[in-house]
Amino acid sequence: MTPVRHPDAPAPGELLGAHYEHCFGCGPGQPHGLHLEARAGEGVSLTAEFTVQPAHQGAPGLAHGGVLATALDETLGSLNWMLRTIAVTGRLETDFVRPVPVGTTLYLEAEVTAVAGRKIYCTAIGRIGGHGGPVAVRADALFVEVKVDHFIDHGREEEIQAAMSDPDQVRRARAFEVNP
């Protein structure tokens, strides 16, 4: 089935912000996290950026492949904002096309390609040197829609309670809205 942008999805160009303060991918409370910033796109798409820091390296001077996979996963998970659904990664297939040096900004573009029941199919591409630059990484993923109980039943009690007791209702709701 063709994906449909939810009427309450953020407007194109709108910064999505962190879904949880301590998320390694997007949270500002993670000193060595990616601090990935995503913006809503047209339809069921978005763009995102993050800059590879020294703490993200694997081989000397190059981003660790797991960090690049995390950036793709975070970007793809953020697409759930466009659908206004809660979903988790079921499968992530990643291609590493070229090395990404420390200090490089990775420009990511992602879109939902299909929705079938609880399954959400999506794809992403990461470029260096700008949105028209050479491809460095790409991924295809399957996300599976879940209820908020998925996080409550499987998360650590102290973090779940902290998120649920946040007096800011928007932040409290957003903590459980996208792939952690």
Side-chain angles (χ1 to χ4, degrees):
M1 180 165 122
T2 303
V4 177
R5 182 189 190 94
H6 191 280
D8 295 330
E14 184 177 332
L15 184 64
L16 300 183
H19 73 272
Y20 178 57
E21 166 113 6
H22 301 290
C23 173
F24 181 77
C26 65
Q30 285 291 341
H32 298 296
L34 303 184
H35 302 156
L36 187 135
E37 292 188 344
R39 291 190 180 278
E42 298 291 332
V44 190
S45 71
L46 59 76
T47 59
E49 296 179 10
F50 97 97
T51 301
V52 178
Q53 301 299 317
H56 303 147
Q57 66 188 306
L62 298 174
H64 189 286
V67 169
L68 296 175
T70 300
L72 288 161
D73 185 48
E74 184 68 27
T75 301
L76 291 160
S78 295
L79 284 166
N80 295 313
W81 285 100
M82 303 302 108
L83 300 172
R84 298 293 292 166
T85 190
I86 303 169
V88 295
T89 311
R91 179 184 56 81
L92 177 67
E93 183 178 329
T94 307
D95 297 317
F96 300 96
V97 179
R98 68 179 64 240
V100 179
V102 169
T104 299
T105 298
L106 191 63
Y107 298 88
L108 298 131
E109 298 172 3
E111 69 176 328
V112 175
T113 56
V115 176
R118 293 178 47 222
K119 296 178 181 179
I120 301 164
Y121 298 91
C122 44
T123 188
I125 192 163
R127 299 174 184 272
I128 56 177
H131 287 287
V135 173
V137 293
R138 61 180 163 247
D140 292 309
L142 165 66
F143 280 74
V144 180
E145 185 177 348
V146 296
K147 304 258 187 256
V148 73
D149 293 350
H150 169 86
F151 302 99
I152 294 167
D153 293 346
H154 301 289
R156 284 188 350 160
E157 180 72 21
E158 48 274 23
E159 280 90 358
I160 296 296
Q161 289 306 318
M164 293 181 78
S165 63
D166 190 325
D168 184 322
Q169 290 184 358
V170 172
R171 276 199 324 239
R172 183 171 58 233
R174 289 182 71 179
F176 300 101
E177 283 191 345
V178 297
N179 177 49

